[in-house]
Amino acid sequence: MQHTTRQAALHMIQTAPVFTLATVDADGFPTMVALSPLPIKRSLEELYFYTSRQTSTTQNIQNWRQASLFYYQLSDYASIMLRGKLSLVGTNVFEQDWRAELTDFQQQLNYKDPVILRFQTSSIKIRQMMTIDHLELVDKPTDGPAHLD
């Protein structure tokens, strides 16, 4: 992927208000949900999401960590798809208080058992101006446990 394409992918990742997250349920069917990423630590390599431990997404990654993220930008018909692994992480991955970074909508959710999901990217497909580029990241996501004990 050319340097300018990497920059375009990073810009889309850093500015996307909502991603569609796809996981696989226990019956082998894809399940999709719209999630807003936390604004901190957004990069080509990883993104973080706030959700509840009781969601189907959190349940799905107990059996199958592979996931995809998708964002479509209507203004110029550009899109980005990220493939990687999803895991539960502790809040100690952030230097500052992650709660202060929640959007108004995320704060209103007020989950009783909130969790942070980390998406680790293994490949990116970006479509912009009618061209498609792919990026395979050198460092593959870790195969550690799906959650912290």
Side-chain angles (χ1 to χ4, degrees):
M1 182 180 279
Q2 298 175 353
H3 179 69
T4 55
T5 305
R6 283 182 73 92
Q7 287 178 323
L10 180 59
H11 178 74
M12 286 181 79
I13 288 168
Q14 291 178 335
T15 59
V18 177
F19 282 92
T20 300
L21 170 65
T23 58
V24 178
D25 69 16
D27 295 323
F29 288 96
T31 302
M32 293 182 284
V33 63
L35 285 179
S36 298
L38 293 175
I40 49 180
K41 296 184 84 166
R42 285 196 200 190
S43 69
L44 292 174
E45 294 80 18
E46 62 186 11
L47 290 101
Y48 293 86
F49 296 90
Y50 166 78
T51 191
S52 170
R53 189 174 303 274
Q54 283 70 43
T55 62
S56 61
T57 299
T58 304
Q59 301 307 312
N60 290 347
I61 65 172
Q62 301 305 312
N63 299 315
W64 192 256
R65 291 185 50 213
Q66 283 78 356
S68 294
L69 292 174
F70 183 78
Y71 170 65
Y72 179 72
Q73 193 167 277
L74 183 59
S75 63
D76 60 0
Y77 307 107
S79 64
I80 188 166
M81 182 186 69
L82 296 86
R83 294 175 56 186
K85 294 194 176 181
L86 199 59
S87 59
L88 296 175
V89 295
T91 56
N92 58 346
V93 297
F94 302 112
E95 294 175 12
Q96 68 264 29
D97 181 15
W98 59 271
R99 287 177 182 88
E101 301 296 329
L102 296 177
T103 65
D104 289 340
F105 173 73
Q106 289 168 326
Q107 289 177 22
Q108 290 175 15
L109 294 171
N110 197 26
Y111 292 126
K112 292 186 184 354
D113 194 6
V115 294
I116 301 295
L117 301 176
R118 176 176 61 191
F119 180 87
Q120 294 175 282
T121 308
S122 58
S123 66
I124 298 171
K125 179 179 177 182
I126 183 171
R127 178 176 289 204
Q128 55 182 353
M129 299 172 53
M130 304 310 286
T131 62
I132 299 173
D133 281 315
H134 299 270
L135 173 64
E136 297 289 332
L137 297 185
V138 177
D139 296 328
K140 296 291 183 188
T142 59
D143 284 329
H147 63 352
L148 295 178
D149 294 321

